[in-house]
Amino acid sequence: MVTLLELARDTAAQVVDPELPMVSLAELGVLREVDVAADGEVTVGLAPTYSGCPALAEMRADVDAALRAAGFTRVAVRTVLDPPWTSDWITPEGLAKLAAHGIAPPGPAPRRAPGAPVPLALTPTRTLVRCPRCDSADTEETSRFSGTACKALRRCRSCLEPFEQVKEL
């Protein structure tokens, strides 16, 4: 028998990211917590990839709608900022799905001490990004920002195809 908590977790975990619909919020690592109180209220915590992420409102609405469709009548979706989201929280399945859809997944995120501020780099980062289409390492960044702030636009010098890359954060 499935408990209410398992149903709530499974339901929230299946909601897809509005900007990267090939991955779920759980695979992206933004679904941080799901709890069901004794009175039946479901509380969900989402960690945005950026503190000002414009997709967060859509994520909240989608999680709320999915839980209500699953029969939960009292739903609270809150933003969790501590600890801040990092691209290391993307699951191996999420990374594979990004690559399968032509989006270069992020490499390891920069390391920092727990509680240390997230550094803001104002200059381009020098990372090796392989082309998700031909696997060439001969790629270049054409724009630090793509369709969303968490992605960069790149071009492969080997196959000449453009592609997006999820940034390391």
Side-chain angles (χ1 to χ4, degrees):
M1 178 183 214
V2 175
T3 67
L4 287 178
L5 180 58
E6 290 170 329
L7 176 61
R9 283 184 180 158
D10 290 346
T11 300
Q14 293 176 31
V15 175
V16 298
D17 181 79
E19 295 174 333
L20 298 165
M22 72 287 301
V23 294
S24 70
L25 297 181
E27 292 167 332
L28 191 57
V30 300
L31 179 64
R32 297 289 298 284
E33 57 194 39
V34 179
D35 189 42
V36 178
D39 65 1
E41 181 178 25
V42 179
T43 303
V44 176
L46 299 178
T49 56
Y50 282 85
S51 60
C53 176
L56 189 58
E58 190 70 24
M59 289 179 202
R60 274 194 193 111
D62 290 350
V63 168
D64 184 90
L67 287 165
R68 290 181 189 281
F72 294 97
T73 56
R74 298 182 59 223
V75 178
V77 182
R78 62 187 189 88
T79 302
V80 177
L81 299 176
D82 187 32
W85 179 87
T86 169
S87 53
D88 286 345
W89 291 358
I90 302 175
T91 66
E93 296 81 9
L95 295 171
K97 287 179 179 181
L98 290 170
H101 284 84
I103 298 173
R111 298 287 167 230
R112 60 185 173 271
V118 177
L120 175 63
L122 299 177
T123 58
T125 55
R126 305 283 185 229
T127 58
L128 173 68
V129 177
R130 300 193 79 80
C131 175
R133 292 182 174 80
C134 73
D135 201 39
S136 171
D138 188 14
T139 66
E140 64 181 337
E141 185 176 274
T142 58
S143 176
R144 187 68 185 136
F145 299 98
S146 183
T148 64
C150 59
K151 294 185 290 185
L153 187 58
R154 301 188 69 89
R155 183 177 70 91
C156 178
R157 291 184 181 120
S158 296
C159 71
L160 303 178
E161 288 293 320
F163 64 94
E164 291 182 305
Q165 170 212 2
V166 175
K167 298 179 206 171
E168 294 85 12
L169 295 175

